[in-house]
Amino acid sequence: MKKGISKNKVQRMRNIVSGNYGAKSVIRSGYTKKQEERSEGDIWEERGKKWVIKNGIKRTVNKLDFARKVNRIPFGCPKCNKPLRHPAHKQMYKRWGVCLECVQAWHNEMTKMGTYDEWQKQFDEKNFDAFVNDITVEYNDWLQSRNAKHYVTEAGDIEDWNGGKSNEELSKEFNESIAKAKQQRLQNKSEE
C-alpha cells in the first residue's frame, strides 16, 4: 500500500506557509446559479412561490397576508395614542378603528349634538339590509348545491337524499319569510 501526501495537500501547505491563505490548491468546476439583483418592493415568482422584499428582508407573499393586516391591532390608539391592552379596547378597535374611550367620546358628542338617534337608525337599517342580503345569497347557494347531494354507499349504490319539497317550494317559503321579516321590521319602526 502506497501512502503519501497528495500534490494538492502539498500545495495547500505551501500556500499556508507563504501566507497565501485564500489561494486554491484544486481546480473544480460546477454549476453557478445566475444571481439577479432585487431591490425594495420587487415582487417575483420562484419555484411556484411569490416573493417580495420589504424593509430589506426577502419574504414570501402569503394568501393570508391581507387577513393578518386587517386583524393586526396596534399598540396604541391611532386617535389618542393610549395603549390598547384591555380586551374591550381591542374589540372597539376591530369594530371602529379606535379605542373604547374614543368611541364613548364620539357617542357622547353625537348625543350632545342630537344626531345619535338618527345615526343609530341608519346603522340598524344598514345592518339589517346587509344581513338580509347575506342570508339570501347563502340560501341561494345552498339551494343550488342541494341537488348535488348524492351519496355512494359501501356497496356501491348511489343514494339520493333530496326528498321532501322542491327547490321552487323552498324558494317561495324563503322569500315569504324574508318579506314577513321586512314587514315586521317596518311595523317596529312605525311604533317607535
Side-chain angles (χ1 to χ4, degrees):
M1 189 160 80
K2 184 177 177 184
K3 287 191 176 181
I5 301 172
S6 64
K7 288 182 182 179
N8 59 350
K9 290 183 181 178
V10 171
Q11 184 62 43
R12 178 72 180 140
M13 292 304 291
R14 284 184 185 146
N15 290 340
I16 291 172
V17 170
S18 65
N20 195 1
Y21 302 109
K24 296 180 182 177
S25 59
V26 177
I27 298 173
R28 295 182 183 176
S29 64
Y31 173 76
T32 56
K33 186 178 176 184
K34 180 183 171 188
Q35 294 289 331
E36 292 185 31
E37 290 295 322
R38 309 268 188 207
S39 60
E40 186 76 24
D42 285 351
I43 299 175
W44 70 96
E45 190 166 330
E46 188 176 301
R47 286 186 252 144
K49 277 183 137 181
K50 276 191 175 181
W51 295 84
V52 66
I53 296 180
K54 286 185 181 178
N55 300 328
I57 300 172
K58 181 177 157 184
R59 301 178 58 183
T60 59
V61 177
N62 198 333
K63 293 177 183 178
L64 298 176
D65 282 345
F66 177 73
R68 282 189 197 102
K69 186 177 180 182
V70 169
N71 290 321
R72 185 173 294 137
I73 297 175
F75 291 119
C77 175
K79 191 171 183 181
C80 66
N81 293 325
K82 291 183 181 175
L84 296 175
R85 290 188 201 128
H86 196 275
H89 292 301
K90 292 178 182 179
Q91 290 297 324
M92 286 299 132
Y93 180 81
K94 286 179 183 177
R95 178 122 187 206
W96 303 108
V98 291
C99 69
L100 176 64
E101 293 174 13
C102 291
V103 171
Q104 288 173 338
W106 176 48
H107 282 216
N108 290 340
E109 179 94 15
M110 285 195 296
T111 304
K112 286 179 187 175
M113 293 190 308
T115 58
Y116 181 78
D117 293 333
E118 183 62 32
W119 174 83
Q120 184 69 33
K121 286 179 186 176
Q122 289 176 355
F123 183 77
D124 286 346
E125 286 175 19
K126 289 179 185 176
N127 193 18
F128 180 76
D129 292 341
F131 171 74
V132 168
N133 290 338
D134 289 347
I135 200 167
T136 303
V137 167
E138 189 175 331
Y139 185 80
N140 289 333
D141 287 345
W142 172 80
L143 207 57
Q144 289 174 356
S145 68
R146 178 177 177 259
N147 292 334
K149 300 281 184 189
H150 299 288
Y151 298 98
V152 180
T153 64
E154 292 176 359
D157 299 331
I158 298 175
E159 294 182 356
D160 185 15
W161 291 11
N162 278 343
K165 298 180 181 178
S166 69
N167 285 356
E168 291 80 20
E169 291 173 333
L170 290 172
S171 180
K172 183 180 177 185
E173 285 180 12
F174 178 76
N175 291 335
E176 288 173 358
S177 64
I178 291 293
K180 187 177 179 181
K182 286 182 178 180
Q183 185 66 27
Q184 183 69 33
R185 174 101 174 137
L186 288 174
Q187 286 177 357
N188 290 344
K189 281 167 78 175
S190 64
E191 291 175 3
E192 293 176 359

